[in-house]
Amino acid sequence: MSVEVNRLPCEGSAEEAVVEFTHQSEKLSFQPPDSPDNKGVAVKAIFVAPQDAVIVTSDGNRLPAVPVSEAYKLNVLRDEAERHDGVRVHVREASGSRDTVKETEDSEGDRVLSFPSEEDEKKRNTSDSTDGNLKRSMPPSYTHPLFPPLPLYGPPSRWRDVQCLLFRFSSFFLSLAFLGVIVLGSLFTSIPPAFQHIWKRLGSKDPDADRPFYQEEMRRKQLREQQVRLWRRRRSARHLDHEDSEDNDESDSDIKAVGPDPIVCDIGFYARRVGLDVETHLVETEDGFVIELWHVYDPEEYTPLPEEERRHKGPDLFTGKFRREPGQTKNNKKPKFPVLLMHGLLQSSGAYCVNDEDSLAFFLCKSGYDVWLGNNRCGFKPRHVLLEYSDPRMWCWNIRQMGVFDLAALTSRVLYETGFEKIGLIAHSQGTTQTFVALAKEQRPDLGEKLTVFCALAPAAYAGPLIGKMYFKFMRVITPAMFRMLFGIHAFIPFMMTMHSLLHPRVYGWLGYKVFSFLFNWTDRRWDRDLKNRMFLFAPVYVSAESMRWWLGRECFAKHKCILATKEEWRAEEKEDRELDKLDKQERSRNEKKANKILKAAERDMEGDHKSENPKHAARRMRPKGSRAWYNHQAPPFALWVCGNDALVDGTKLLRRFDGGREPHVKVVHKKVIEEYEHLDVIWAMDAVGQVFKEIREVLWKTCNARDLCRVPEGCEDVPAWNPAGHEDTQKEEDDGMESDSSSSDEDESS
């Protein structure tokens, strides 16, 4: 995308420059110019990432991202209004190859701003800011096809309010009808299994006997029943004030008294059931959203902060300030190493807290880690420093903003609260997607320098076969305008949240499982089914219709089936890999011409037929495998746990990308494919502790950069420190991913 500003409409006078800046400011402000309090006037734009410009208002608050050309225009007009020199500004594409935006003067004394051409921008890994008074103000001239520009919604007006009402009216009924079809479909498909269940019962057979962990399920269920009975006896004894009546049988001596589960949407309640607790911190993102960060702690080691200390601290991130330096806990133990967990699509981080002692968050906390649970924007309580629920700008975001803004804000807050230089990151499903996007060299690669390791559970980088189902195809074939008419421009099917508050938790949990199982082809075979209603109590949450359009619409993920490469690109890479794999390394070196022929064929598949092209130009386009890498040297070490029976995403393609040398800067410190696992089994399966959680615990400690400062987690006493020196490439290329020999990108997968 080229910036669509050929000449800024300033005729030379300072007054006209101020007028033009005022018009542009009104277009991007919080409220219209005739509002009585004149609050939230747009004064400048800040490019947090090359494609994401946030608006800074006169009262110091932030407004969400706007199209880069509009933000750029605001900054240049502001600069002109402040100069008062009457010099015109011309914006044009550079005639030659250029890496940065450059300011010059023409023969008439006018300022000329030249920015890179689209082809030059594609070759660059990141978009550099300019020097001088336009620093952090220049937009990129190229937009990734997977991240098309978001719509621009200006300040409130009568016409905009009427449009919003029309969208909300149409989407309420149409999305409700869509949801009704999904619910009916889920109920209809559950009829045959129900009859099979009844038939086995009539035949005196146990229909659940073929579940892989059935005996363990029954044992845990009986244990929970004993805990409730003991809790009730002790409660009755305290109520009657008869201490001698408390029954302490030998059979109860090893049983902890735990009350019945009312199934409440409160992770603090479930933390207290296992001897832990939770405090909530509010975090402000750089575009003004207020999101929740949950801190899981041991009450014997940590004193929760007062409420005023847990409020949001403003939009500035990574300031280098800390609440306190890492030090001793209140029981004089060494501090725990901090870990941030991010949740999946339509979920909250409560998904990590539903399996009692075997919940990932509680397991890591009791193992000796400082656990923080991040939640993306809106969640259960949509909040923004300026915007209200009804404002469409509140919902104008997708996966890129969740990674660039939300993940960065949460990481910064954990660093501030703990005093550490780096933290560990664990993410599941969509949480891995927003991390993969945020760490990309075109987005916010410096975030990788704040992480010791990125543990990806069911990594969602490539689509699985489920994307071809009928209801997903329907959402892919409709136009963007029809998508907005069907699902609106605000929250995606907000009626689901209404059902969440109205239905009984057991009914909602049962229905939630049926619907999500129907949509995403999940089963509960490996879960503790007695806890299933609790599992779906923390989902769904508020997400934007624009975000779901990125996942399911006709332009982005559903079309290309990848988060950072177009369909043509990754298919050409796979074809190239298949051909090159037929040649061993020695033969490849002896048959360089043959290898180059394969590379040229792959380039033609991706870019079209270039027979008439200058051979020198064609040779210049030839790149080794790392030339189209997503990440640069700032990427943290990766650890991946792939579900082999996952129909929603295809983690094996991502592993092949790393194994094939496509990402020379990424060090994979651990990888595992669990063939029998489905998408949610990686966090909810009854054997996930042994299959996944213990390995995560070891990987976090292996890559920890503060081992001397922190206490050793339980079970990690013999885990050696990871040595990154063995993973470094012999030749370091910072941004263009160019290596003289693709064989130098081979990765050492073990520590």
Side-chain angles (χ1 to χ4, degrees):
M1 178 199 71
S2 298
V3 177
E4 298 177 357
V5 184
N6 295 322
R7 175 183 289 184
L8 297 181
C10 173
E11 296 301 330
S13 69
E15 292 79 7
E16 290 176 342
V18 171
V19 169
E20 293 297 334
F21 170 73
T22 302
H23 289 329
Q24 183 67 7
S25 175
E26 292 172 355
K27 186 178 180 181
L28 304 177
S29 293
F30 169 55
Q31 291 182 335
D34 56 353
S35 59
D37 55 2
N38 199 24
K39 179 182 177 183
V41 177
V43 294
K44 66 177 179 179
I46 296 177
F47 281 84
V48 177
Q51 300 288 342
D52 294 285
V54 298
I55 299 299
V56 180
T57 62
S58 56
D59 51 0
N61 288 313
R62 302 286 180 88
L63 288 171
V66 298
V68 291
S69 59
E70 298 292 338
Y72 173 57
K73 186 176 179 180
L74 176 71
N75 282 345
V76 175
L77 284 169
R78 178 175 181 266
D79 180 57
E80 286 306 302
E82 291 177 347
R83 285 171 65 102
H84 297 294
D85 57 4
V87 179
R88 296 181 184 180
V89 176
H90 304 275
V91 181
R92 72 185 185 191
E93 185 175 284
S95 56
S97 176
R98 190 184 300 281
D99 290 335
T100 60
V101 181
K102 185 174 182 180
E103 179 178 344
T104 58
E105 289 189 2
D106 61 13
S107 59
E108 299 179 1
D110 292 345
R111 296 169 62 210
V112 177
L113 300 177
S114 303
F115 58 91
S117 65
E118 184 167 331
E119 286 301 316
D120 292 333
E121 188 69 26
K122 288 181 181 180
K123 297 176 183 178
R124 296 171 58 205
N125 292 336
T126 58
S127 181
D128 297 330
S129 61
T130 61
D131 298 329
N133 54 10
L134 290 181
K135 187 176 182 181
R136 299 189 70 193
S137 301
M138 295 301 182
S141 59
Y142 169 66
T143 298
H144 197 287
L146 278 157
F147 302 106
L150 293 169
L152 174 64
Y153 300 107
S157 64
R158 290 184 179 180
W159 173 237
R160 200 201 75 171
D161 292 343
V162 169
Q163 287 180 311
C164 290
L165 285 175
L166 289 175
F167 275 120
R168 294 185 71 175
F169 181 81
S170 66
S171 63
F172 175 80
F173 292 101
L174 295 176
S175 64
L176 194 60
F178 178 84
L179 179 63
V181 171
I182 297 299
V183 172
L184 290 176
S186 65
L187 296 177
F188 180 77
T189 55
S190 64
I191 293 177
F195 275 111
Q196 293 177 4
H197 188 92
I198 295 173
W199 181 257
K200 289 183 178 180
R201 288 288 186 190
L202 294 176
S204 300
K205 296 181 180 179
D206 189 344
D208 299 321
D210 60 342
R211 292 174 61 83
F213 304 108
Y214 180 63
Q215 298 299 326
E216 179 64 16
E217 277 187 276
M218 293 298 101
R219 189 192 69 80
R220 294 186 184 185
K221 183 176 181 180
Q222 292 173 3
L223 178 60
R224 282 190 288 267
E225 292 173 350
Q226 291 175 0
Q227 290 174 336
V228 171
R229 286 196 298 267
L230 179 59
W231 177 83
R232 285 174 175 163
R233 287 201 301 270
R234 293 182 177 177
R235 183 185 182 193
S236 177
R238 288 193 299 268
H239 179 70
L240 297 174
D241 198 24
H242 293 305
E243 296 182 0
D244 294 337
S245 65
E246 186 173 340
D247 188 1
N248 289 320
D249 296 337
E250 290 185 3
S251 60
D252 290 340
S253 59
D254 296 329
I255 299 176
K256 183 173 66 173
V258 179
D261 181 9
I263 310 182
V264 293
C265 190
D266 178 12
I267 67 163
F269 172 81
Y270 293 108
R272 290 186 288 273
R273 288 171 67 90
V274 297
L276 304 174
D277 211 335
V278 174
E279 64 176 354
T280 300
H281 294 251
L282 298 181
V283 180
E284 183 180 344
T285 67
E286 290 167 294
D287 57 347
F289 284 87
V290 179
I291 56 182
E292 290 189 352
L293 175 65
W294 299 332
H295 180 209
V296 181
Y297 64 90
D298 185 344
E300 296 182 358
E301 299 183 358
Y302 175 83
T303 302
L305 297 172
E307 183 178 357
E308 59 270 15
E309 294 294 323
R310 292 184 275 116
R311 295 172 181 168
H312 56 86
K313 309 295 182 184
D316 296 326
L317 308 184
F318 305 116
T319 60
K321 299 179 181 179
F322 305 103
R323 180 183 298 280
R324 60 180 179 274
E325 294 295 329
Q328 301 287 332
T329 60
K330 69 180 185 180
N331 59 356
N332 294 322
K333 290 184 178 181
K334 284 186 175 182
K336 298 179 176 180
F337 183 69
V339 180
L340 174 65
L341 281 70
M342 295 301 298
H343 58 81
L345 178 63
L346 294 172
Q347 287 184 321
S348 70
S349 282
Y352 294 115
C353 305
V354 296
N355 275 340
D356 292 332
E357 301 275 358
D358 290 341
S359 304
L360 178 56
F362 302 155
F363 172 83
L364 291 176
C365 185
K366 292 197 169 188
S367 294
Y369 287 102
D370 189 11
V371 177
W372 299 78
L373 305 176
N375 294 278
N376 287 310
R377 54 188 61 200
C378 295
F380 286 114
K381 297 177 182 178
R383 281 175 286 198
H384 191 276
V385 293
L386 290 176
L387 304 177
E388 301 293 336
Y389 178 94
S390 58
D391 196 316
R393 291 174 291 182
M394 179 83 167
W395 305 96
C396 189
W397 47 269
N398 57 33
I399 193 70
R400 193 176 73 221
Q401 286 72 39
M402 294 164 68
V404 170
F405 295 118
D406 295 2
L407 180 60
L410 293 166
T411 302
S412 176
R413 185 58 177 271
V414 174
L415 293 174
Y416 170 79
E417 295 293 342
T418 61
F420 282 82
E421 295 180 354
K422 294 185 178 185
I423 63 172
L425 176 64
I426 303 169
H428 173 250
S429 189
Q430 179 189 255
T432 68
T433 305
Q434 70 185 98
T435 307
F436 285 135
V437 171
L439 296 176
K441 57 192 178 185
E442 294 91 357
Q443 306 300 330
R444 198 165 192 166
D446 57 312
L447 183 61
E449 298 177 342
K450 309 296 182 182
L451 307 176
T452 58
V453 68
F454 168 38
C455 297
L457 311 180
Y462 293 90
L466 198 67
I467 200 70
K469 278 208 168 185
M470 177 188 64
Y471 39 84
F472 291 139
K473 280 186 177 180
F474 165 74
M475 301 175 80
R476 191 163 70 246
V477 298
I478 61 177
T479 64
M482 291 179 64
F483 193 100
R484 293 188 176 104
M485 187 66 67
L486 180 59
F487 298 107
I489 56 176
H490 294 80
F492 180 76
I493 316 183
F495 186 74
M496 293 188 295
M497 300 303 299
T498 304
M499 294 174 61
H500 190 282
S501 61
L502 294 179
L503 293 179
H504 188 277
R506 297 188 185 277
V507 176
Y508 183 83
W510 175 84
L511 186 60
Y513 169 73
K514 293 295 183 184
V515 170
F516 282 104
S517 177
F518 172 73
L519 285 175
F520 302 120
N521 204 27
W522 299 333
T523 68
D524 61 357
R525 279 181 52 81
R526 310 186 73 83
W527 308 347
D528 189 341
R529 195 155 54 178
D530 200 41
L531 304 178
K532 189 168 61 177
N533 293 335
R534 186 194 302 178
M535 294 172 176
F536 287 91
L537 195 61
F538 294 95
V541 296
Y542 285 106
V543 297
S544 70
E546 203 64 46
S547 174
M548 296 305 295
R549 190 173 75 86
W550 185 89
W551 280 110
L552 304 173
R554 67 189 304 178
E555 298 173 297
C556 304
F557 181 75
K559 173 185 177 181
H560 295 287
K561 299 179 176 59
C562 183
I563 62 170
L564 287 170
T566 64
K567 180 169 55 178
E568 295 75 18
E569 288 173 343
W570 66 261
R571 283 182 175 175
E573 289 176 351
E574 285 200 338
K575 180 180 179 181
E576 177 183 324
D577 288 342
R578 287 194 300 268
E579 294 296 327
L580 290 176
D581 283 344
K582 297 177 181 178
L583 305 172
D584 60 25
K585 293 182 179 180
Q586 293 181 354
E587 186 177 359
R588 196 182 308 169
S589 63
R590 292 194 304 264
N591 295 277
E592 185 176 353
K593 292 183 179 180
K594 187 175 181 180
N596 285 337
K597 183 178 180 181
I598 296 172
L599 289 170
K600 290 179 181 179
E603 291 287 344
R604 285 197 299 272
D605 289 341
M606 186 177 69
E607 301 181 18
D609 189 5
H610 298 278
K611 291 181 180 179
S612 61
E613 192 175 21
N614 189 322
K616 292 183 179 180
H617 294 170
R620 192 178 298 118
R621 277 201 328 276
M622 298 305 299
R623 300 288 188 271
K625 287 187 175 183
S627 62
R628 291 188 291 271
W630 299 344
Y631 306 103
N632 63 12
H633 65 281
Q634 295 172 293
F638 284 18
L640 303 103
W641 286 263
V642 173
C643 303
N645 194 25
D646 192 344
L648 186 59
V649 298
D650 190 346
T652 58
K653 286 184 179 179
L654 185 63
L655 290 179
R656 288 200 300 270
R657 180 177 185 85
F658 292 140
D659 292 341
R662 294 290 177 187
E663 298 295 336
H665 293 292
V666 173
K667 289 84 176 176
V668 180
V669 297
H670 183 90
K671 62 179 180 179
K672 182 178 184 179
V673 179
I674 310 174
E675 295 295 344
E676 65 275 14
Y677 266 26
E678 297 175 354
H679 192 69
L680 279 171
D681 291 345
V682 75
I683 59 173
W684 286 351
M686 295 185 67
D687 62 341
V689 172
Q691 291 271 34
V692 181
F693 298 176
K694 291 182 179 179
E695 295 178 1
I696 292 177
R697 180 177 64 186
E698 294 179 1
V699 169
L700 289 170
W701 185 241
K702 178 168 63 175
T703 55
C704 176
N705 69 324
R707 289 166 63 106
D708 295 336
L709 179 65
C710 301
R711 75 179 70 173
V712 180
E714 178 184 335
C716 297
E717 294 80 5
D718 298 326
V719 175
W722 176 62
N723 180 18
H727 294 259
E728 292 181 355
D729 299 323
T730 57
Q731 185 179 5
K732 223 170 197 181
E733 301 284 347
E734 290 198 357
D735 287 322
D736 59 0
M738 294 289 295
E739 269 81 23
S740 60
D741 186 359
S742 61
S743 63
S744 66
S745 64
D746 291 342
E747 308 281 349
D748 182 8
E749 303 297 340
S750 65
S751 63

